[in-house]
Amino acid sequence: MVKAGRVPEHVAIIMDGNGRWARQRGLPRLAGHRAGVEAVKRTVEAAGKAGIRYLTLFAFSTENWKRPAREVKGLMKLLVHYAANELETLRSNNIRVRVIGDIYSLPEEVQEAVKKCERATKDNTGLTVILALNYGGKWDIVHACKKLCEKVARAEIRPEDVDEELLSKELATVGIPDPDLVIRTSGEKRISNFLLWQCAYSELWYTDVLWPDFGSKEMAQALMEFGRRHRRYGGLEKTRGRTYS
Ligand code: IPE
Ligand code: IPE
Ligand code: MG
């Protein structure tokens, strides 16, 4: 068990390896994505049980449009199904859904389905599940800069007022603490344009397990490892015996 007080408040996951999972079984890539949805359901449940407050899931990146149109279409369809089929479970489990990313460039039915989920769960007080859809860390930062420039142009702020706090407030993740732990499955060890600004001090944990095989066991391993990490934020180790927050 992970010691109380050491559970990360925010876990962010780069769900990778659906395609390889399918290829290993001689199945089309979309079968891997379908199995990936089952892993999402297991992981949401495991995160709630572990006492995690925020769970961000990287579901579609700003670069994933490069994939064949058929796969992109299939992924969008899965998103709509997930949002519609899981809404009741999410609602009854007191889960709040939030979406980050350039969602206005997504097909309308995806926008509607995820917005419905957000609206229907906005007053829930349990785990917050953040779906990163058409999300890119670079997009997020550029979008935030544009918002700041608009405020400068309207003379609401001066250029010299711009600091880390003001920029953070324009990011898609406003109000959400930075991820304490970032998990990536499938053995890849890169950020792939995920939460670039927000991951400045996140602990990173990688596993060779492919996303469709991810579940409570892997989540427990990641949390256990997180509990052993010493976060220094550029400072020095605290006196022995003291706990880290
Ligand atoms: C992750 O699995 C899902 C998305 C990026 C949408 P992949 O589809 O990237 O799986 P691999 O990397 O090809 O195995
Ligand atoms: C990252 O996975 C994006 C998501 C999980 C949504 P990719 O499979 O797209 O990343 P790369 O291309 O291997 O870096
Ligand atoms: Mg991949």
Side-chain angles (χ1 to χ4, degrees):
M1 270 306 286
V2 181
K3 266 195 281 167
R6 298 301 310 272
V7 175
E9 189 179 15
H10 182 177
V11 175
I13 308 184
I14 303 173
M15 310 182 289
D16 201 8
N18 295 351
R20 278 161 281 174
W21 184 92
R23 196 176 55 214
Q24 283 174 3
R25 287 160 179 77
L27 297 169
R29 291 181 58 84
L30 268 172
H33 295 315
R34 268 195 294 275
V37 174
E38 296 309 311
V40 166
K41 294 181 196 169
R42 287 195 297 272
T43 305
V44 167
E45 196 183 331
K49 280 190 182 149
I52 291 162
R53 300 291 307 157
Y54 300 89
L55 175 71
T56 299
L57 300 172
F58 201 7
F60 193 85
S61 78
T62 46
E63 287 71 36
N64 287 148
W65 297 105
K66 293 177 192 163
R67 297 185 179 204
R70 212 176 111 90
E71 181 174 348
V72 171
K73 223 171 147 184
L75 280 165
M76 296 299 153
K77 218 167 140 186
L78 274 177
L79 277 165
V80 173
H81 283 165
Y82 173 79
N85 297 340
E86 282 305 290
L87 182 54
E88 215 29 66
T89 310
L90 295 164
R91 203 162 23 194
S92 57
N93 286 319
N94 198 23
I95 292 168
R96 184 171 55 164
V97 176
R98 196 163 144 181
V99 179
I100 57 168
D102 187 5
I103 65 158
Y104 297 103
S105 311
L106 290 170
E108 231 154 76
E109 54 168 354
V110 178
Q111 291 184 40
E112 278 164 23
V114 295
K115 277 192 203 146
K116 189 175 169 192
C117 257
E118 277 188 314
R119 266 198 314 270
T121 62
K122 72 176 175 24
D123 296 323
N124 288 351
T125 54
L127 171 71
T128 298
V129 173
I130 300 135
L131 297 176
L133 293 184
N134 196 19
Y135 180 86
K138 289 186 178 180
W139 165 81
D140 203 0
I141 294 167
V142 168
H143 186 255
C145 288
K146 278 187 188 156
K147 294 273 174 196
L148 289 176
C149 290
E150 284 165 15
K151 286 190 173 172
V152 169
R154 289 195 300 263
E156 288 169 19
I157 57 167
R158 296 165 303 171
E160 58 268 36
D161 295 331
V162 175
D163 60 8
E164 292 180 12
E165 198 191 331
L166 268 194
L167 197 140
S168 292
K169 284 185 179 155
E170 300 298 341
L171 293 171
T173 47
V174 59
I176 301 167
D178 287 345
D180 301 291
L181 174 66
V182 174
I183 294 174
R184 184 166 188 153
T185 56
S186 86
E188 307 296 353
K189 294 181 178 64
R190 53 178 171 262
I191 291 290
S192 299
N193 198 17
F194 196 27
L195 300 155
L196 298 179
W197 174 283
Q198 298 87 340
C199 284
Y201 269 103
S202 304
E203 296 295 325
L204 309 176
W205 188 80
Y206 302 101
T207 173
D208 287 337
V209 167
L210 303 174
W211 177 249
D213 293 326
F214 191 90
S216 55
K217 181 175 145 234
E218 289 73 24
M219 180 63 104
Q221 280 171 353
L223 296 184
M224 191 72 91
E225 165 78 25
F226 177 83
R228 285 194 290 264
R229 301 268 181 101
H230 295 286
R231 305 181 77 187
R232 288 183 285 277
Y233 300 98
L236 298 178
E237 199 86 27
K238 286 201 180 151
T239 326
R240 237 183 327 150
R242 292 239 198 107
T243 47
Y244 285 76
S245 57

